[in-house]
Amino acid sequence: MEWVDRLVSATEWTAEPGACDWSDTERSLGARPPADFKEMRRRFAPWGAFSDHVLLLEAQGDTESVLARHTSLTRSMRGNPDNRRLFEPFGILGMDDGHREKGLVPWGYSFIEEEFFWLADTSQEPGTWPVLARADPLEPFQRFDMTASEFVCRVLTERGFSDFGVAAAIGTPFYRAF
């Protein structure tokens, strides 16, 4: 988990890792979240934000968990089919519109409305799922062929990293538990 270790080092995070139960999420999605993400959540166990900017969804919870956000998206799509346009051409994982084994799964967001997803494919190893991100729900997704932990680390530490990088604005990265 090289990128998780880099993130811990960059933020100088010293809290003890926590335990995360992903069983409900895995059962509902029909897939395991990538191991690097699960390790990142374990290492940064208390709910919080990286540099008061990036938030990771949790393993469990009613609103701020991977499962809760995914469930909310699928309900939104079923309740208003016009919302599906917002996720084209990928769809949401598990929807009954030809994207049953492939589609987006949310894993995080920023305080300025950026959204972070995996482009999940249940026939592939979760560690190979690319990150898709967008700055606004009406903008197209940008694809990053990297893990979520690499994406977060680069957002926080590399000046000029894509449209999502904040290293120039924040200086030294940190993690703040709420």
Side-chain angles (χ1 to χ4, degrees):
M1 303 291 163
E2 173 189 354
W3 286 101
V4 175
D5 291 337
R6 285 184 185 190
L7 195 53
V8 169
S9 178
T11 60
E12 300 180 356
W13 185 247
T14 59
E16 288 296 314
C20 300
D21 180 3
W22 292 95
S23 57
D24 289 344
T25 299
E26 291 172 352
R27 191 171 25 262
S28 179
L29 293 178
R32 300 178 325 272
D36 82 293
F37 183 81
K38 291 164 74 171
E39 179 63 10
M40 190 167 44
R41 284 304 307 137
R42 189 182 80 77
R43 298 281 289 276
F44 294 92
W47 177 247
F50 289 95
S51 299
D52 291 337
H53 182 69
V54 174
L55 295 101
L56 305 179
L57 296 177
E58 298 182 283
Q60 299 175 345
D62 293 337
T63 58
E64 299 300 328
S65 71
V66 171
L67 181 56
R69 287 285 176 105
H70 186 264
T71 300
S72 176
L73 285 174
T74 56
R75 280 190 194 133
S76 174
M77 301 299 116
R78 289 185 178 116
N80 184 353
D82 289 339
N83 286 343
R84 293 177 187 216
R85 289 190 339 264
L86 299 173
F87 299 94
E88 290 177 348
F90 309 107
I92 302 297
L93 182 70
M95 291 294 298
D96 296 328
D97 61 356
H99 297 286
R100 180 162 296 284
E101 287 87 25
K102 296 179 183 177
L104 298 174
V105 175
W107 60 262
Y109 62 95
S110 77
F111 281 125
I112 59 170
E113 297 185 16
E114 296 165 328
E115 300 175 302
F116 311 124
F117 296 85
W118 292 292
L119 180 52
D121 181 341
T122 60
S123 71
Q124 302 293 316
E125 175 62 33
T128 66
W129 296 348
V131 168
L132 293 183
R134 63 183 176 184
D136 180 275
L138 299 177
E139 291 185 13
F141 287 98
Q142 294 180 45
R143 180 184 173 129
F144 298 88
D145 289 314
M146 61 184 65
T147 64
S149 59
E150 180 180 355
F151 180 83
V152 172
C153 192
R154 292 180 72 188
V155 161
L156 300 177
T157 64
E158 291 183 19
R159 292 178 185 271
F161 174 72
S162 79
D163 297 336
F164 301 97
V166 296
I170 63 165
T172 304
F174 61 93
Y175 185 78
R176 183 187 323 269
F178 300 141

